[in-house]
Amino acid sequence: MNTRRKWLAPFGMWIVFEIVAVTLWLTKDNLFYLLNFSYIGTSITVGLLLFQFNYKHARRIVQLLVGLYMLIYLGLICQENMQIEGFWYYLFTGVFEAATIHYAVAKIFGPLLFGRGWCGYACWTAMVLDFLPYKKPQAARKKIGFIRYITFSFSLFFVVLLFLNHVENMEKIMFIAFIVGNILYYIVGIILAFLFKDNRAFCKYICPVTIFLKPMSYFSVVRVKCDKEKCISCGKCKKVCPMNVDIIDNSRKRKNGTECILCMECVRTCPRKAL
Ligand code: SF4
Ligand code: SF4
Ligand code: SF4
């Protein structure tokens, strides 16, 4: 990668987040959005810069900076439910705040630009799962991805039922749902990781958010591509990929292409710098 391109990605990402931060600050007349998106954008930029200097824990640092901020500050202290049920809740109340903005930026429209960067650099569920021992999946992929449709539907029906029954104290219920949901995600995610010897099993089979992430990331501008002239088909990239992506196929239809979390393990591993 030449020097100009080295600086382009971090700086470009920072600009994108600043545009979002300033736009939301001015349109919503709320300083929180400026601080929130500036913090997230700067954290990601720091990570990308560390990556450019080949610091091997760059991604994990961003994941902790953003994941802990969202889980502890936004989730537990500010009591904003950023889980999928929180998204439905704010969507049905017609409020373009908190979870709806978060979903629009990170999980629905953002992936058109940066794919599943959320999953690689910010998600607080994966932040914990990535500490487990199976960074490289040690078993073949299972055909149980249909479970994500069940969890997705469950989250939707749960919130619809609350509205249909005119339940009071919805904000409080959403906060409890956030805590219970996260505990469940962690328990199920850790059990599956050990069961399938794959840290990212939860992401592959259970996570309801992938219903948004996968189709949108199909069109992502930012993608890892293979320079066929340099590639010697050694297969090392596929072995380290936590998401089983067939990265040497450059087409958008490549196997598990919508699973790429842009972790760059393949790029760091390639002996020919072909990715
Ligand atoms: S797939 Fe779900 S759990 Fe996994 S990193 Fe993405 S949002 Fe988080
Ligand atoms: S690691 Fe590099 S050289 Fe080996 S198959 Fe992958 S892209 Fe090709
Ligand atoms: S190893 Fe490469 S192909 Fe696999 S998820 Fe990470 S960036 Fe994507």
Side-chain angles (χ1 to χ4, degrees), residues 14-62:
W14 187 78
I15 292 284
V16 167
F17 272 87
E18 279 309 301
I19 291 171
V20 173
V22 172
T23 307
L24 286 171
W25 167 43
L26 296 178
T27 52
K28 310 286 293 178
D29 194 19
N30 189 341
L31 188 66
F32 164 78
Y33 292 108
L34 180 68
L35 300 176
N36 179 67
F37 284 99
S38 294
Y39 171 80
I40 294 173
T42 305
S43 301
I44 292 171
T45 304
V46 167
L48 289 174
L49 284 171
L50 289 174
F51 179 78
Q52 306 292 17
F53 290 104
N54 292 324
Y55 180 58
K56 74 175 188 174
H57 299 301
R59 183 182 73 85
R60 299 290 284 131
I61 285 180
V62 182

Side-chain angles (χ1 to χ4, degrees), residues 224 241-242 245 247 260-266:
V224 179
C241 178
V245 180
I247 201 69
C260 178
I261 56 171
L262 298 174
C263 66
M264 302 295 159
E265 284 304 313
C266 53

